[in-house]
Amino acid sequence: ADSISISGTSVDPMLNILPGKNVTLHRFKLSTGPSSTGVIWNEGNLILEQMQIQHGGNSSMISTEGELELRTGVSIKLHKP
């Protein structure tokens, strides 16, 4: 299967996981540009597996007030302009 890539330049944040929600992200790439304030805001239960997350902004890539589980194959990179 082809890989899926989601990118945003000024989305704040790209994904917002609401309280009480259970979300598993599996096998795709999230990337943001320099004007973004973050990639994921998590207030629920979030599992990342075989994910690539690239962030070009100056703020947190993943902000969490909920549960966060990193499984195999997770790559998180900060790209400064």
Side-chain angles (χ1 to χ4, degrees):
D2 293 339
S3 62
I4 296 171
S5 179
I6 300 172
S7 63
T9 55
S10 61
V11 180
D12 302 320
M14 184 176 286
L15 294 176
N16 186 0
I17 312 302
L18 298 175
K21 300 300 179 182
N22 298 310
V23 176
T24 299
L25 301 178
H26 179 77
R27 237 183 209 175
F28 65 94
K29 177 181 177 180
L30 295 171
S31 61
T32 63
S35 60
S36 174
T37 61
V39 182
I40 299 172
W41 174 252
N42 175 45
E43 296 179 280
N45 299 304
L46 176 61
I47 297 172
L48 301 177
E49 185 173 32
Q50 295 182 6
M51 292 287 300
Q52 291 181 1
I53 298 173
Q54 297 179 349
H55 181 44
N58 291 319
S59 62
S60 299
M61 285 184 261
I62 301 172
S63 296
T64 187
E65 291 185 0
E67 298 291 322
L68 174 63
E69 181 180 343
L70 301 178
R71 293 189 178 169
T72 60
V74 176
S75 170
I76 299 174
K77 297 179 181 178
L78 179 62
H79 292 281
K80 292 287 188 178

